[in-house]
Amino acid sequence: METMTGNTPQAIQDETLLIRHILDGDTKLFRQLAGRYAEQVLRMVARLIPSHEEAEEATQDALLEAFQSLARYDARQASFQTWLMRIAYHTALKHYRQHHKSVQFVEMERDDGENQSSWLDTIPDDETDVLLDDTDRVTLMERSIDMLKPDDQMLLNLYYFDNRPIREISCITEHDEGYLRSRLQWIRKRIAITIKTLESNEEE
């Protein structure tokens, strides 16, 4: 079983026992089990869905789905916490897409129409680091993150704000680790390029 930070062997054993009792019909115990991670779920969902009311709705949807799917939980594949966060991740994305269909995330292109991926390759890693570490650019960074697609915002939050390891994020997002590392690098450069573009626009 995959063990997570803060999950002692005794806690994991207790969760296994709780799940067994819930599946045997003592469904009221699910509130106790899910309550351990409800705040974590809400925090993750709220980073993508800033409306508190909508975030709570998405959180409740995730917990309900977890309850209805509990019989399919396999402790050999992941801890209950990671499994629950996987459900919350997909629920948050689904909820966002359903309620924010009008939001457009436009891919940037160079004036000469060059492919964006090759454009990102033109910004050196050290320049990317400088732009992202500059505290004077925090507001521009926040605006740049808001311009990312929801999937990329969630990935950024899981890795940089929640400090989750790639292995766990792979389980939550159901993407392989190699893809996630490559995508995180792409996101960093995308943010750096956006910051430079916003600064250039402000100077004009």
Side-chain angles (χ1 to χ4, degrees), residues 3-203:
T3 58
M4 306 306 301
T5 303
N7 277 359
T8 64
Q10 183 61 42
I12 294 170
Q13 182 179 355
D14 289 346
E15 285 187 354
T16 301
L17 186 60
L18 274 173
I19 291 169
R20 187 178 304 127
H21 281 300
I22 294 166
L23 294 177
D24 285 343
D26 197 354
T27 55
K28 66 180 183 295
L29 289 176
F30 184 77
R31 182 183 296 273
Q32 175 184 339
L33 177 62
R36 299 177 180 182
Y37 307 111
E39 285 299 320
Q40 291 183 40
V41 171
L42 179 60
R43 283 198 303 270
M44 185 180 77
V45 170
R47 291 200 179 105
L48 181 64
I49 306 172
S51 165
H52 184 70
E53 183 178 342
E54 287 186 27
E56 286 194 329
E57 179 184 342
T59 297
Q60 291 304 313
D61 287 346
L63 295 178
L64 177 60
E65 182 175 344
F67 173 71
Q68 294 173 337
S69 306
L70 190 59
R72 297 198 296 272
Y73 167 61
D74 186 351
R76 296 168 298 181
Q77 300 297 319
S79 68
F80 177 79
Q81 179 191 31
T82 299
W83 180 77
L84 179 59
M85 296 303 285
R86 178 194 300 168
I87 292 174
Y89 168 83
H90 290 290
T91 300
L93 290 176
K94 180 180 179 181
H95 190 282
Y96 185 93
R97 289 168 180 146
Q98 287 177 339
H99 293 78
H100 301 271
K101 294 178 180 179
S102 61
V103 179
Q104 300 294 320
F105 300 92
V106 181
E107 296 288 350
M108 296 184 304
E109 292 183 357
R110 291 180 57 154
D111 293 337
D112 57 14
E114 186 175 336
N115 181 274
Q116 186 190 34
S117 61
S118 61
W119 184 22
L120 290 173
D121 290 339
T122 65
I123 181 170
D125 290 338
D126 55 353
E127 184 177 353
T128 298
D129 293 338
V130 169
L131 287 167
L132 298 185
D133 292 339
D134 187 351
T135 55
D136 292 332
R137 291 185 169 97
V138 170
T139 300
L140 290 176
M141 184 184 299
E142 291 174 347
R143 288 174 59 190
S144 301
I145 291 174
D146 287 341
M147 294 170 68
L148 293 171
K149 292 182 178 180
D151 311 61
D152 290 332
Q153 290 186 42
M154 291 292 280
L155 177 55
L156 199 69
N157 286 324
L158 288 169
Y159 187 73
Y160 287 106
F161 295 98
D162 290 351
N163 295 313
R164 296 181 185 274
I166 288 291
R167 181 169 176 264
E168 183 185 352
I169 296 174
S170 176
C171 184
I172 291 172
T173 63
E174 298 180 286
H175 289 304
D176 65 60
E177 295 181 23
Y179 167 82
L180 292 174
R181 291 191 179 92
S182 175
R183 192 65 185 176
L184 282 165
Q185 183 179 23
W186 184 94
I187 292 170
R188 283 175 56 83
K189 291 198 171 188
R190 170 65 188 272
I191 292 174
I193 286 286
T194 306
I195 289 173
K196 292 182 66 175
T197 302
L198 291 173
E199 284 182 329
S200 177
N201 291 341
E202 289 179 352
E203 293 171 359

